[in-house]
Amino acid sequence: MERQVRALWWEGVTQVSEFELLQWLRREHDVRWDTDATVALFQQHFVIRHGLYTVQAALQDTDIQMEISAVGIRLSSRESTGQSISMDGSAHALAEFYLDERQLFCTDKAQVTAWLDQFWRRFSSQDELDGARSILDVSDTASWTEIQNRYRSLARRHHPDFGGDQTQFVAVREAYEQLKKHYS
């Protein structure tokens, strides 16, 4: 895969999606994946990520750097950016997971299903948090004190006892409760 990444770089390609890599993997390599579609997709994803993190490590001492994210893979020159791409703790943990080949062979359908369920719960939760922040009109970096202050202001404005709209008041209250669960 390192050879393919270098070829892409020399062709001027600086960004590629995991889906494009998945198509390449299926086209170029006849591999017998698990008969269960969910496990097979995990295996294909794992092989791609394993290859990417391996190549990323191999490119460490070169002019080419590779950023691996959920939305795609980006290649850049260390000289042109003047900086290195650094990994935070969660990115480093992901790299360790995908570099451990045992994960490919030890993961079964139950584990893949549990990971997918956890992902969708977090994804749904994030949508709910974004919606709650939008209702309260606070940023995603707002402190709990800022959220409380904003809630009190909106609750007073929309409270039915003070001439406000009951529907708006209920929406503000539910948004506050959603954020309260997240922050506590």
Side-chain angles (χ1 to χ4, degrees), residues 117-145:
D117 289 345
Q118 181 183 16
F119 167 80
W120 287 115
R121 275 195 305 275
R122 280 196 347 247
F123 183 76
S124 172
S125 174
Q126 188 59 48
D127 279 353
E128 291 171 3
L129 292 175
D130 290 345
R133 287 186 188 106
S134 176
I135 290 169
L136 295 181
D137 194 27
V138 295
S139 73
D140 59 347
T141 59
S143 68
W144 178 240
T145 303

Side-chain angles (χ1 to χ4, degrees), residues 13-179:
V13 175
T14 58
Q15 198 157 343
V16 64
S17 71
E18 185 170 345
F19 180 71
E20 291 169 313
L21 292 174
L22 181 58
Q23 288 176 316
W24 169 82
L25 178 66
R26 290 174 177 166
R27 186 177 59 248
E28 298 294 324
H29 299 281
D30 184 27
V31 178
R32 294 195 193 279
W33 305 107
D34 197 276
T35 56
D36 180 83
T38 303
V39 176
L41 187 58
F42 165 76
Q43 291 170 335
Q44 294 164 17
H45 169 78
F46 186 92
V47 167
I48 289 169
R49 289 291 165 142
H50 176 78
L52 288 170
Y53 284 111
T54 301
V55 171
Q56 185 182 49
L59 295 173
Q60 201 68 19
D61 296 327
T62 70
D63 179 45
I64 306 169
Q65 59 184 3
M66 182 183 343
E67 180 180 8
I68 303 168
S69 73
V71 293
I73 297 86
R74 187 173 58 90
L75 299 171
S76 60
S77 168
R78 291 182 209 285
E79 288 178 10
S80 68
T81 62
Q83 58 187 354
S84 284
I85 296 171
S86 61
M87 288 196 284
D88 63 10
S90 61
H92 186 70
L94 275 176
E96 284 184 359
F97 174 83
Y98 286 113
L99 288 171
D100 182 358
E101 294 174 359
R102 292 174 298 177
Q103 299 295 340
L104 177 62
F105 303 108
C106 297
T107 303
D108 60 6
K109 183 177 181 172
Q111 184 63 55
V112 172
T113 302
W115 286 334
L116 287 171
D117 289 345
Q118 181 183 16
F119 167 80
W120 287 115
R121 275 195 305 275
R122 280 196 347 247
F123 183 76
S124 172
S125 174
Q126 188 59 48
D127 279 353
E128 291 171 3
L129 292 175
D130 290 345
R133 287 186 188 106
S134 176
I135 290 169
L136 295 181
D137 194 27
V138 295
S139 73
D140 59 347
T141 59
S143 68
W144 178 240
T145 303
E146 292 170 313
I147 291 170
Q148 287 177 311
N149 291 337
R150 183 66 179 154
Y151 164 70
R152 289 181 187 118
S153 170
L154 290 172
R156 274 191 300 274
R157 182 185 318 161
H158 296 296
H159 199 286
D161 291 349
F162 302 109
D165 178 74
Q166 181 174 357
T167 306
Q168 280 291 94
F169 177 75
V170 169
V172 166
R173 179 70 188 172
E174 288 174 352
Y176 175 75
E177 291 299 326
Q178 181 68 33
L179 291 171

